[in-house]
């Protein structure tokens, strides 16, 4: 009897929820995904607040206290010219997370627009766009990034442009596949019968139904961009110092002496990269499970 009442209450709650309400309801039940979300929110809050509240700036140098181990004055020690590594760590988080967000936003914009046009119109437009996607996907990703950055420079703008340009085909294919299915639905036939323009049919009636898949892709893509930026920075082709990122901070680990004796140079940014990437991946998996209709009870 109790189980029956609980089931009826749960069913009634689900019936009253909107699509997104039901998605977030299922996501809240995923404890690991919610823990990952709170961890990410904590990291973002620290990246925003620590540089504002710290008595040190990212460029404040103190040659008398250079190469200091963590202590009461400098919680994560200082580097070889006396800069406080605690404030630089979280300022670097601003750059790394901001760069990842910009890359994902740009690649999703390009991929969603081109994927929508390809799936909606089909025919010659579909062939042209998908062949362009095949061309971009055929490039060796890391080698092409290294080449472009080496030729045009490793500014933040160049990194955003290069990473987004090489990554848009994946989301474009996802959007195209969904649009190909949705355009055959009855409500789209009704839109056509009512004389609704192609622009409104695509961006008002089709894309909202694809948005959930774009969000999942974007969440997982944040982790990939952070790792890519770290790899490029470790090779000396990421964001140029003195602007700190987690990637160019961990570059110090290329020195054997620092690995063995000065752990405060590279372990803190390594931990931040590990936690951020792990949390984005777990949250992306949780979003995928919450959105997947097969997960409905």
């Amino acid at each position: 009897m109790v189980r029956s009442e609980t089931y009826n209450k749960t069913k009634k709650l689900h019936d009253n929820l909107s699509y997104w309400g039901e998605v977030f309801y299922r996501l809240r039940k995923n404890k690991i995904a919610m823990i990952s979300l709170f961890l990410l929110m904590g990291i973002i809050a620290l990246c925003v607040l620590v540089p504002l509240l710290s008595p040190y700036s990212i460029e404040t140098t103190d040659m008398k206290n250079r190469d200091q181990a963590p202590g009461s004055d400098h919680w994560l020690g200082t580097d070889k010219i006396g800069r406080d590594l605690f404030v630089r760590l979280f300022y670097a988080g601003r750059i790394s997370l901001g760069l990842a967000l910009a890359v994902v936003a740009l690649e999703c914009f390009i991929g969603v627009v081109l994927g929508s046009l390809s799936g909606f119109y089909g025919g010659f437009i579909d062939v042209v766009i998908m062949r362009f996607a095949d061309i971009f996907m055929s490039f060796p990703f890391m080698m092409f990034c290294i080449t472009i950055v080496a030729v045009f420079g490793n500014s933040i703008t160049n990194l955003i442009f290069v990473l987004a340009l090489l990554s848009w085909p994946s989301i474009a294919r996802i959007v195209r596949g969904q649009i190909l299915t949705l355009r055959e639905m009855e409500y789209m036939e009704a839109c056509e019968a009512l004389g609704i323009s192609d622009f409104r049919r695509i961006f008002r009636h089709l894309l909202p139904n694809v948005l959930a898949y774009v969000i999942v892709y974007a969440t997982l893509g944040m982790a990939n961009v952070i790792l890519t930026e770290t790899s490029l920075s470790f090779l000396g082709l990421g964001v140029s110092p003195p602007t700190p990122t987690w990637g160019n901070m961990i570059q110090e680990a290329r020195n054997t002496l620092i690995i063995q004796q000065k752990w405060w140079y590279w372990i803190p940014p390594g931990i931040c990269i590990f936690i951020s990437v792990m949390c984005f991946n777990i949250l992306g998996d949780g979003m995928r499970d919450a959105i997947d209709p097969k997960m409905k009870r």
Side-chain angles (χ1 to χ4, degrees), residues 190-201 205:
C191 289
E192 185 176 0
L194 290 171
I196 296 175
S197 65
D198 291 351
F199 181 86
R200 290 195 64 186
R201 276 191 280 169
H205 298 283

Side-chain angles (χ1 to χ4, degrees), residues 34-258:
M34 293 306 296
I35 291 172
S36 299
L37 177 61
F38 289 132
L39 283 174
L40 285 173
M41 292 173 63
I43 291 174
I44 292 171
L46 288 172
C47 291
V48 172
L49 295 176
V50 169
L52 295 176
L53 301 177
S54 174
Y56 307 102
S57 74
I58 61 169
E59 296 301 331
T60 300
T61 60
D62 183 3
M63 297 303 290
K64 294 180 180 179
N65 293 314
R66 60 194 182 99
D67 276 337
Q68 292 292 309
S72 58
D73 292 332
H74 301 281
W75 292 358
L76 289 179
T78 59
D79 63 8
K80 56 190 176 183
I81 58 174
R83 294 177 297 189
D84 183 79
L85 290 176
F86 184 75
V87 68
R88 286 181 65 82
L89 175 69
F90 291 107
Y91 188 91
R94 288 186 183 184
I95 305 299
S96 294
L97 295 175
L99 186 144
L101 180 62
V103 171
V104 169
L106 181 57
E107 73 175 88
C108 284
F109 175 77
I110 297 172
V112 167
V113 171
L114 294 181
S116 299
L117 295 176
S118 177
F120 183 81
Y121 289 109
F124 177 75
I125 294 177
D126 181 32
V127 171
V128 171
I129 293 176
M130 285 300 101
R131 295 299 75 78
F132 269 110
D134 291 339
I135 290 171
F136 280 101
M137 293 184 74
S138 67
F139 291 132
F141 183 83
M142 188 56 70
M143 289 299 299
F144 193 76
C145 286
I146 292 173
T147 302
I148 295 298
V149 169
V151 172
F152 295 100
N154 53 350
S155 67
I156 294 177
T157 303
N158 287 345
L159 283 173
I160 292 172
F161 178 75
V162 170
L163 295 178
L165 189 64
L166 292 177
S167 303
W168 69 265
S170 298
I171 184 61
R173 286 178 173 274
I174 294 172
V175 172
R176 172 183 176 270
Q178 293 298 315
I179 296 291
L180 284 172
T181 302
L182 293 171
R183 73 177 185 178
E184 305 298 331
M185 303 288 284
E186 292 181 356
Y187 78 94
M188 289 305 299
E189 295 179 3
C191 289
E192 185 176 0
L194 290 171
I196 296 175
S197 65
D198 291 351
F199 181 86
R200 290 195 64 186
R201 276 191 280 169
I202 293 173
F203 294 98
R204 184 74 180 271
H205 298 283
L206 287 176
L207 280 185
N209 294 303
V210 183
L211 184 60
Y213 298 93
V214 176
I215 291 174
V216 173
Y217 175 87
T219 307
L220 296 171
M222 289 285 291
N224 292 331
V225 175
I226 291 172
L227 289 176
T228 302
E229 187 275 327
T230 302
S231 301
L232 289 172
S233 294
F234 191 79
L235 296 172
L237 295 171
V239 178
S240 300
T243 303
T245 67
W246 287 337
N248 62 29
M249 289 184 73
I250 207 172
Q251 185 186 16
E252 299 289 349
R254 297 173 65 179
N255 188 312
T256 305
L257 179 64
I258 289 177

